[in-house]
Amino acid sequence: MAKIEVNQVAEILKRHKLEPSLLREIVEEMNSATQPEADEEKPPAAKKQFVVLLSDMEGKLPTENLTGWVVQIPEDASPYSTTERIFKGAYDFNASKKGRMMPVKSVGEALESASPKYFKESELWIKTKLPVAVVVTDNVLPKDEFKTEKVDRRRKDA
């Protein structure tokens, strides 16, 4: 359906010689219908924090290759509630028609195959459906290994 400006409709009605009072009423009603309602303002978006959920299958957290998922939870929520939120979303998915046919049996399956609508109720937003590699660091920058010479580019060597 084509959209038309209120001014164009008013011009068309003028050409058909409508009464000015009736024309004014129609234009005012169209203007009020096209104005957005002030009551329909969206609430501000909730602030969220990122949480990295690590997959430590054999209990060797600092020494072996790790995989994990990145999720978001509300800013004021505890990061320790992340697993409970995932469990709730997985249980909701398994209770659905699709979940009864192909239930998820692990956290990884839940994050990968369950729809975001099941996690939205528990305020969990999945940022990576597939697990990503996690690199362990000691959080110290080496001081001597990457020593660079300062080059003075103003000097012209002839």
Short mmCIF file of all heavy atoms in Angstrom, two decimals, residues 60-117:
data_model
loop_
_atom_site.label_atom_id
_atom_site.label_comp_id
_atom_site.label_asym_id
_atom_site.label_seq_id
_atom_site.Cartn_x
_atom_site.Cartn_y
_atom_site.Cartn_z
N LYS A 60 41.49 -29.31 34.18
CA LYS A 60 42.87 -28.85 34.02
C LYS A 60 42.86 -27.40 33.55
O LYS A 60 43.52 -27.05 32.59
CB LYS A 60 43.59 -29.71 32.99
CG LYS A 60 43.66 -31.17 33.36
CD LYS A 60 44.37 -31.94 32.29
CE LYS A 60 44.42 -33.42 32.66
NZ LYS A 60 45.09 -34.20 31.63
N LEU A 61 42.19 -26.57 34.26
CA LEU A 61 41.94 -25.19 33.82
C LEU A 61 43.17 -24.42 33.37
O LEU A 61 43.21 -23.97 32.24
CB LEU A 61 41.19 -24.42 34.91
CG LEU A 61 40.78 -23.02 34.55
CD1 LEU A 61 39.76 -23.04 33.44
CD2 LEU A 61 40.22 -22.31 35.73
N PRO A 62 44.21 -24.23 34.17
CA PRO A 62 45.30 -23.36 33.72
C PRO A 62 46.28 -23.98 32.74
O PRO A 62 47.07 -23.28 32.15
CB PRO A 62 46.01 -22.96 35.00
CG PRO A 62 45.59 -23.93 36.02
CD PRO A 62 44.35 -24.60 35.56
N THR A 63 46.29 -25.30 32.53
CA THR A 63 47.37 -25.90 31.75
C THR A 63 46.98 -26.35 30.34
O THR A 63 47.84 -26.42 29.48
CB THR A 63 47.95 -27.11 32.50
OG1 THR A 63 46.90 -28.05 32.72
CG2 THR A 63 48.55 -26.68 33.82
N GLU A 64 45.76 -26.69 30.09
CA GLU A 64 45.37 -27.27 28.80
C GLU A 64 44.61 -26.27 27.94
O GLU A 64 44.23 -25.21 28.38
CB GLU A 64 44.49 -28.50 29.04
CG GLU A 64 45.21 -29.63 29.71
CD GLU A 64 46.29 -30.24 28.84
OE1 GLU A 64 46.08 -30.42 27.64
OE2 GLU A 64 47.37 -30.53 29.39
N ASN A 65 44.37 -26.67 26.67
CA ASN A 65 43.55 -25.87 25.76
C ASN A 65 42.13 -25.83 26.29
O ASN A 65 41.57 -26.86 26.67
CB ASN A 65 43.55 -26.47 24.36
CG ASN A 65 44.91 -26.39 23.72
OD1 ASN A 65 45.74 -25.58 24.11
ND2 ASN A 65 45.13 -27.24 22.74
N LEU A 66 41.54 -24.67 26.28
CA LEU A 66 40.19 -24.50 26.79
C LEU A 66 39.28 -23.94 25.70
O LEU A 66 39.73 -23.22 24.82
CB LEU A 66 40.18 -23.54 27.97
CG LEU A 66 41.04 -23.91 29.17
CD1 LEU A 66 41.06 -22.78 30.16
CD2 LEU A 66 40.49 -25.16 29.82
N THR A 67 38.02 -24.27 25.78
CA THR A 67 37.03 -23.66 24.92
C THR A 67 35.95 -23.08 25.81
O THR A 67 35.77 -23.51 26.95
CB THR A 67 36.41 -24.68 23.95
OG1 THR A 67 35.85 -25.74 24.70
CG2 THR A 67 37.44 -25.21 22.98
N GLY A 68 35.23 -22.12 25.28
CA GLY A 68 34.19 -21.49 26.08
C GLY A 68 33.22 -20.72 25.22
O GLY A 68 33.36 -20.63 24.01
N TRP A 69 32.22 -20.15 25.87
CA TRP A 69 31.20 -19.37 25.20
C TRP A 69 31.14 -17.99 25.84
O TRP A 69 31.43 -17.84 27.03
CB TRP A 69 29.84 -20.04 25.36
CG TRP A 69 29.77 -21.38 24.72
CD1 TRP A 69 29.36 -21.66 23.46
CD2 TRP A 69 30.13 -22.63 25.32
NE1 TRP A 69 29.45 -23.01 23.23
CE2 TRP A 69 29.91 -23.63 24.36
CE3 TRP A 69 30.62 -23.00 26.56
CZ2 TRP A 69 30.16 -24.97 24.60
CZ3 TRP A 69 30.87 -24.33 26.80
CH2 TRP A 69 30.64 -25.30 25.83
N VAL A 70 30.74 -17.02 25.07
CA VAL A 70 30.57 -15.66 25.59
C VAL A 70 29.07 -15.38 25.66
O VAL A 70 28.36 -15.56 24.68
CB VAL A 70 31.28 -14.62 24.69
CG1 VAL A 70 31.07 -13.22 25.23
CG2 VAL A 70 32.75 -14.93 24.56
N VAL A 71 28.63 -14.97 26.84
CA VAL A 71 27.22 -14.63 27.04
C VAL A 71 27.14 -13.28 27.75
O VAL A 71 28.15 -12.77 28.25
CB VAL A 71 26.50 -15.72 27.88
CG1 VAL A 71 26.47 -17.04 27.15
CG2 VAL A 71 27.13 -15.88 29.25
N GLN A 72 25.94 -12.72 27.78
CA GLN A 72 25.71 -11.48 28.52
C GLN A 72 24.59 -11.70 29.51
O GLN A 72 23.63 -12.42 29.23
CB GLN A 72 25.31 -10.34 27.57
CG GLN A 72 26.46 -9.58 27.00
CD GLN A 72 25.98 -8.36 26.23
OE1 GLN A 72 25.06 -8.45 25.44
NE2 GLN A 72 26.62 -7.25 26.46
N ILE A 73 24.73 -11.06 30.67
CA ILE A 73 23.71 -11.08 31.71
C ILE A 73 23.52 -9.64 32.17
O ILE A 73 24.34 -8.78 31.86
CB ILE A 73 24.10 -12.00 32.88
CG1 ILE A 73 25.41 -11.54 33.53
CG2 ILE A 73 24.19 -13.45 32.43
CD1 ILE A 73 25.76 -12.30 34.80
N PRO A 74 22.45 -9.35 32.92
CA PRO A 74 22.28 -7.98 33.41
C PRO A 74 23.46 -7.53 34.26
O PRO A 74 24.12 -8.34 34.93
CB PRO A 74 21.01 -8.06 34.25
CG PRO A 74 20.26 -9.22 33.69
CD PRO A 74 21.31 -10.19 33.24
N GLU A 75 23.73 -6.23 34.22
CA GLU A 75 24.90 -5.67 34.90
C GLU A 75 24.87 -5.89 36.40
O GLU A 75 25.90 -6.12 37.03
CB GLU A 75 24.99 -4.17 34.59
CG GLU A 75 26.25 -3.52 35.08
CD GLU A 75 26.33 -2.06 34.67
OE1 GLU A 75 25.32 -1.34 34.80
OE2 GLU A 75 27.41 -1.66 34.22
N ASP A 76 23.69 -5.86 37.00
CA ASP A 76 23.62 -6.01 38.45
C ASP A 76 23.53 -7.46 38.91
O ASP A 76 23.50 -7.73 40.10
CB ASP A 76 22.43 -5.22 38.99
CG ASP A 76 21.12 -5.62 38.35
OD1 ASP A 76 21.15 -6.29 37.30
OD2 ASP A 76 20.05 -5.27 38.90
N ALA A 77 23.50 -8.40 37.98
CA ALA A 77 23.42 -9.82 38.33
C ALA A 77 24.81 -10.39 38.60
O ALA A 77 25.81 -9.91 38.09
CB ALA A 77 22.75 -10.60 37.21
N SER A 78 24.84 -11.44 39.40
CA SER A 78 26.10 -12.10 39.72
C SER A 78 26.53 -13.00 38.56
O SER A 78 25.71 -13.75 38.01
CB SER A 78 25.94 -12.95 40.97
OG SER A 78 27.06 -13.78 41.15
N PRO A 79 27.81 -12.96 38.18
CA PRO A 79 28.28 -13.86 37.12
C PRO A 79 28.12 -15.33 37.49
O PRO A 79 28.04 -16.19 36.62
CB PRO A 79 29.76 -13.50 36.97
CG PRO A 79 29.90 -12.15 37.55
CD PRO A 79 28.85 -12.03 38.60
N TYR A 80 28.06 -15.62 38.77
CA TYR A 80 27.91 -17.01 39.22
C TYR A 80 26.51 -17.56 38.95
O TYR A 80 26.29 -18.76 39.05
CB TYR A 80 28.25 -17.13 40.70
CG TYR A 80 29.68 -16.74 40.98
CD1 TYR A 80 29.99 -15.55 41.62
CD2 TYR A 80 30.72 -17.55 40.54
CE1 TYR A 80 31.31 -15.19 41.84
CE2 TYR A 80 32.04 -17.19 40.75
CZ TYR A 80 32.33 -16.01 41.41
OH TYR A 80 33.63 -15.65 41.61
N SER A 81 25.57 -16.68 38.58
CA SER A 81 24.22 -17.14 38.25
C SER A 81 24.10 -17.55 36.78
O SER A 81 23.03 -17.97 36.36
CB SER A 81 23.20 -16.04 38.56
OG SER A 81 23.38 -14.95 37.67
N THR A 82 25.19 -17.44 36.02
CA THR A 82 25.14 -17.71 34.58
C THR A 82 24.74 -19.15 34.30
O THR A 82 23.89 -19.41 33.44
CB THR A 82 26.51 -17.41 33.94
OG1 THR A 82 26.85 -16.06 34.24
CG2 THR A 82 26.45 -17.58 32.45
N THR A 83 25.34 -20.10 35.00
CA THR A 83 25.02 -21.51 34.72
C THR A 83 23.55 -21.81 35.05
O THR A 83 22.89 -22.55 34.31
CB THR A 83 25.94 -22.45 35.52
OG1 THR A 83 25.91 -22.09 36.89
CG2 THR A 83 27.35 -22.38 34.99
N GLU A 84 23.03 -21.23 36.13
CA GLU A 84 21.62 -21.44 36.47
C GLU A 84 20.71 -20.90 35.38
O GLU A 84 19.69 -21.51 35.04
CB GLU A 84 21.29 -20.77 37.80
CG GLU A 84 22.01 -21.38 38.97
CD GLU A 84 21.92 -20.50 40.22
OE1 GLU A 84 21.17 -19.50 40.21
OE2 GLU A 84 22.63 -20.82 41.19
N ARG A 85 21.09 -19.77 34.79
CA ARG A 85 20.31 -19.17 33.71
C ARG A 85 20.33 -20.09 32.48
O ARG A 85 19.32 -20.25 31.79
CB ARG A 85 20.86 -17.79 33.35
CG ARG A 85 20.68 -16.77 34.46
CD ARG A 85 21.49 -15.51 34.15
NE ARG A 85 21.53 -14.62 35.27
CZ ARG A 85 20.62 -13.69 35.53
NH1 ARG A 85 19.62 -13.51 34.71
NH2 ARG A 85 20.73 -12.92 36.59
N ILE A 86 21.48 -20.68 32.19
CA ILE A 86 21.59 -21.59 31.05
C ILE A 86 20.74 -22.84 31.31
O ILE A 86 20.01 -23.31 30.43
CB ILE A 86 23.06 -21.97 30.79
CG1 ILE A 86 23.82 -20.74 30.30
CG2 ILE A 86 23.15 -23.09 29.76
CD1 ILE A 86 25.32 -20.93 30.23
N PHE A 87 20.79 -23.38 32.52
CA PHE A 87 20.01 -24.56 32.87
C PHE A 87 18.51 -24.29 32.69
O PHE A 87 17.79 -25.10 32.13
CB PHE A 87 20.28 -25.01 34.31
CG PHE A 87 21.70 -25.44 34.56
CD1 PHE A 87 22.19 -25.44 35.86
CD2 PHE A 87 22.55 -25.82 33.54
CE1 PHE A 87 23.50 -25.82 36.12
CE2 PHE A 87 23.86 -26.21 33.79
CZ PHE A 87 24.33 -26.21 35.09
N LYS A 88 18.07 -23.12 33.15
CA LYS A 88 16.65 -22.77 33.04
C LYS A 88 16.23 -22.69 31.58
O LYS A 88 15.19 -23.21 31.19
CB LYS A 88 16.36 -21.45 33.75
CG LYS A 88 14.89 -21.09 33.73
CD LYS A 88 14.61 -19.83 34.48
CE LYS A 88 13.15 -19.43 34.51
NZ LYS A 88 12.29 -19.91 33.48
N GLY A 89 17.07 -22.04 30.74
CA GLY A 89 16.75 -21.95 29.32
C GLY A 89 16.74 -23.32 28.65
O GLY A 89 15.88 -23.60 27.80
N ALA A 90 17.67 -24.19 29.04
CA ALA A 90 17.72 -25.54 28.47
C ALA A 90 16.49 -26.35 28.89
O ALA A 90 15.92 -27.09 28.08
CB ALA A 90 18.99 -26.25 28.91
N TYR A 91 16.06 -26.21 30.16
CA TYR A 91 14.87 -26.93 30.62
C TYR A 91 13.63 -26.43 29.86
O TYR A 91 12.77 -27.23 29.47
CB TYR A 91 14.67 -26.75 32.12
CG TYR A 91 15.75 -27.37 32.96
CD1 TYR A 91 16.11 -26.82 34.17
CD2 TYR A 91 16.43 -28.52 32.55
CE1 TYR A 91 17.12 -27.37 34.96
CE2 TYR A 91 17.44 -29.08 33.33
CZ TYR A 91 17.77 -28.50 34.53
OH TYR A 91 18.76 -29.06 35.29
N ASP A 92 13.54 -25.12 29.66
CA ASP A 92 12.41 -24.56 28.90
C ASP A 92 12.42 -25.08 27.47
O ASP A 92 11.37 -25.39 26.91
CB ASP A 92 12.45 -23.03 28.91
CG ASP A 92 12.17 -22.44 30.28
OD1 ASP A 92 11.68 -23.18 31.16
OD2 ASP A 92 12.43 -21.23 30.47
N PHE A 93 13.60 -25.15 26.86
CA PHE A 93 13.70 -25.68 25.50
C PHE A 93 13.28 -27.14 25.45
O PHE A 93 12.53 -27.55 24.57
CB PHE A 93 15.13 -25.52 24.96
CG PHE A 93 15.34 -26.19 23.62
CD1 PHE A 93 14.87 -25.60 22.47
CD2 PHE A 93 15.99 -27.40 23.53
CE1 PHE A 93 15.04 -26.21 21.23
CE2 PHE A 93 16.17 -28.02 22.31
CZ PHE A 93 15.68 -27.42 21.15
N ASN A 94 13.74 -27.95 26.39
CA ASN A 94 13.41 -29.37 26.41
C ASN A 94 11.91 -29.60 26.65
O ASN A 94 11.38 -30.63 26.27
CB ASN A 94 14.23 -30.11 27.47
CG ASN A 94 15.65 -30.34 27.01
OD1 ASN A 94 15.97 -30.25 25.83
ND2 ASN A 94 16.52 -30.62 27.95
N ALA A 95 11.24 -28.63 27.28
CA ALA A 95 9.81 -28.74 27.51
C ALA A 95 9.01 -28.36 26.26
O ALA A 95 7.81 -28.66 26.18
CB ALA A 95 9.39 -27.87 28.68
N SER A 96 9.63 -27.72 25.28
CA SER A 96 8.93 -27.31 24.06
C SER A 96 8.76 -28.50 23.12
O SER A 96 9.34 -29.57 23.33
CB SER A 96 9.70 -26.19 23.36
OG SER A 96 10.89 -26.69 22.78
N LYS A 97 7.98 -28.29 22.06
CA LYS A 97 7.74 -29.36 21.10
C LYS A 97 9.03 -29.82 20.42
O LYS A 97 9.31 -31.02 20.33
CB LYS A 97 6.74 -28.88 20.04
CG LYS A 97 6.35 -29.92 19.04
CD LYS A 97 5.33 -29.39 18.06
CE LYS A 97 4.99 -30.43 17.02
NZ LYS A 97 4.06 -29.91 16.02
N LYS A 98 9.84 -28.86 19.97
CA LYS A 98 11.10 -29.19 19.32
C LYS A 98 12.06 -29.85 20.32
O LYS A 98 12.79 -30.78 19.98
CB LYS A 98 11.74 -27.93 18.74
CG LYS A 98 12.99 -28.19 17.94
CD LYS A 98 13.53 -26.92 17.33
CE LYS A 98 14.81 -27.20 16.57
NZ LYS A 98 15.39 -25.97 16.03
N GLY A 99 12.06 -29.38 21.56
CA GLY A 99 12.93 -29.94 22.59
C GLY A 99 12.54 -31.35 22.97
O GLY A 99 13.40 -32.16 23.34
N ARG A 100 11.26 -31.66 22.92
CA ARG A 100 10.83 -33.04 23.23
C ARG A 100 11.29 -33.99 22.13
O ARG A 100 11.58 -35.15 22.39
CB ARG A 100 9.32 -33.10 23.40
CG ARG A 100 8.86 -32.50 24.71
CD ARG A 100 7.39 -32.81 24.98
NE ARG A 100 6.50 -32.33 23.94
CZ ARG A 100 5.89 -31.14 23.95
NH1 ARG A 100 6.09 -30.32 24.96
NH2 ARG A 100 5.08 -30.79 22.97
N MET A 101 11.35 -33.48 20.88
CA MET A 101 11.79 -34.33 19.77
C MET A 101 13.30 -34.52 19.79
O MET A 101 13.80 -35.62 19.54
CB MET A 101 11.35 -33.72 18.45
CG MET A 101 9.85 -33.75 18.27
SD MET A 101 9.28 -32.85 16.83
CE MET A 101 10.14 -33.65 15.51
N MET A 102 14.04 -33.44 20.05
CA MET A 102 15.50 -33.49 20.08
C MET A 102 16.00 -32.74 21.32
O MET A 102 16.42 -31.58 21.23
CB MET A 102 16.08 -32.84 18.83
CG MET A 102 15.73 -33.59 17.57
SD MET A 102 16.21 -32.83 16.01
CE MET A 102 17.48 -31.71 16.37
N PRO A 103 15.93 -33.35 22.50
CA PRO A 103 16.33 -32.63 23.71
C PRO A 103 17.84 -32.38 23.75
O PRO A 103 18.63 -33.15 23.21
CB PRO A 103 15.91 -33.58 24.84
CG PRO A 103 15.86 -34.92 24.21
CD PRO A 103 15.50 -34.71 22.77
N VAL A 104 18.21 -31.28 24.41
CA VAL A 104 19.63 -30.98 24.59
C VAL A 104 20.09 -31.67 25.87
O VAL A 104 19.35 -31.74 26.85
CB VAL A 104 19.89 -29.46 24.63
CG1 VAL A 104 19.58 -28.83 23.30
CG2 VAL A 104 19.11 -28.78 25.73
N LYS A 105 21.34 -32.17 25.84
CA LYS A 105 21.84 -32.93 26.98
C LYS A 105 23.06 -32.30 27.62
O LYS A 105 23.55 -32.79 28.62
CB LYS A 105 22.17 -34.36 26.54
CG LYS A 105 20.96 -35.11 26.06
CD LYS A 105 21.29 -36.50 25.63
CE LYS A 105 20.06 -37.25 25.24
NZ LYS A 105 19.90 -37.45 23.83
N SER A 106 23.57 -31.21 27.01
CA SER A 106 24.73 -30.55 27.59
C SER A 106 24.59 -29.05 27.43
O SER A 106 23.73 -28.57 26.69
CB SER A 106 26.02 -31.02 26.90
OG SER A 106 26.06 -30.55 25.57
N VAL A 107 25.44 -28.33 28.14
CA VAL A 107 25.44 -26.87 28.05
C VAL A 107 25.77 -26.43 26.63
O VAL A 107 25.12 -25.54 26.08
CB VAL A 107 26.44 -26.26 29.07
CG1 VAL A 107 26.59 -24.77 28.85
CG2 VAL A 107 25.98 -26.55 30.49
N GLY A 108 26.75 -27.07 26.02
CA GLY A 108 27.14 -26.72 24.66
C GLY A 108 26.01 -26.90 23.66
O GLY A 108 25.78 -26.05 22.80
N GLU A 109 25.28 -28.03 23.78
CA GLU A 109 24.14 -28.26 22.90
C GLU A 109 23.06 -27.21 23.13
O GLU A 109 22.43 -26.74 22.19
CB GLU A 109 23.55 -29.65 23.14
CG GLU A 109 24.35 -30.78 22.57
CD GLU A 109 23.68 -32.12 22.83
OE1 GLU A 109 22.51 -32.16 23.26
OE2 GLU A 109 24.34 -33.14 22.59
N ALA A 110 22.84 -26.85 24.39
CA ALA A 110 21.80 -25.86 24.70
C ALA A 110 22.14 -24.51 24.08
O ALA A 110 21.29 -23.87 23.48
CB ALA A 110 21.65 -25.73 26.21
N LEU A 111 23.40 -24.09 24.23
CA LEU A 111 23.79 -22.79 23.69
C LEU A 111 23.78 -22.79 22.16
O LEU A 111 23.53 -21.77 21.53
CB LEU A 111 25.17 -22.39 24.21
CG LEU A 111 25.24 -22.12 25.71
CD1 LEU A 111 26.68 -21.90 26.14
CD2 LEU A 111 24.38 -20.94 26.09
N GLU A 112 24.07 -23.93 21.55
CA GLU A 112 24.17 -24.01 20.10
C GLU A 112 22.81 -24.17 19.43
O GLU A 112 22.55 -23.54 18.42
CB GLU A 112 25.07 -25.18 19.72
CG GLU A 112 25.39 -25.25 18.25
CD GLU A 112 26.40 -26.33 17.93
OE1 GLU A 112 27.20 -26.69 18.81
OE2 GLU A 112 26.37 -26.82 16.79
N SER A 113 21.94 -24.99 19.99
CA SER A 113 20.72 -25.32 19.25
C SER A 113 19.44 -24.71 19.80
O SER A 113 18.46 -24.62 19.08
CB SER A 113 20.56 -26.83 19.15
OG SER A 113 20.49 -27.39 20.44
N ALA A 114 19.42 -24.28 21.05
CA ALA A 114 18.19 -23.68 21.59
C ALA A 114 18.05 -22.25 21.09
O ALA A 114 19.03 -21.52 20.96
CB ALA A 114 18.22 -23.72 23.11
N SER A 115 16.84 -21.87 20.84
CA SER A 115 16.53 -20.53 20.35
C SER A 115 16.75 -19.49 21.46
O SER A 115 16.55 -19.80 22.64
CB SER A 115 15.08 -20.50 19.88
OG SER A 115 14.67 -19.20 19.60
N PRO A 116 17.14 -18.26 21.10
CA PRO A 116 17.35 -17.22 22.12
C PRO A 116 16.11 -16.91 22.96
O PRO A 116 16.22 -16.43 24.07
CB PRO A 116 17.76 -16.00 21.31
CG PRO A 116 18.27 -16.52 20.03
CD PRO A 116 17.53 -17.79 19.77
N LYS A 117 14.91 -17.21 22.44
CA LYS A 117 13.70 -16.90 23.20
C LYS A 117 13.63 -17.69 24.51
O LYS A 117 13.02 -17.24 25.48
CB LYS A 117 12.45 -17.12 22.37
CG LYS A 117 12.13 -18.55 22.06
CD LYS A 117 10.88 -18.66 21.21
CE LYS A 117 10.57 -20.10 20.91
NZ LYS A 117 9.37 -20.24 20.08
#
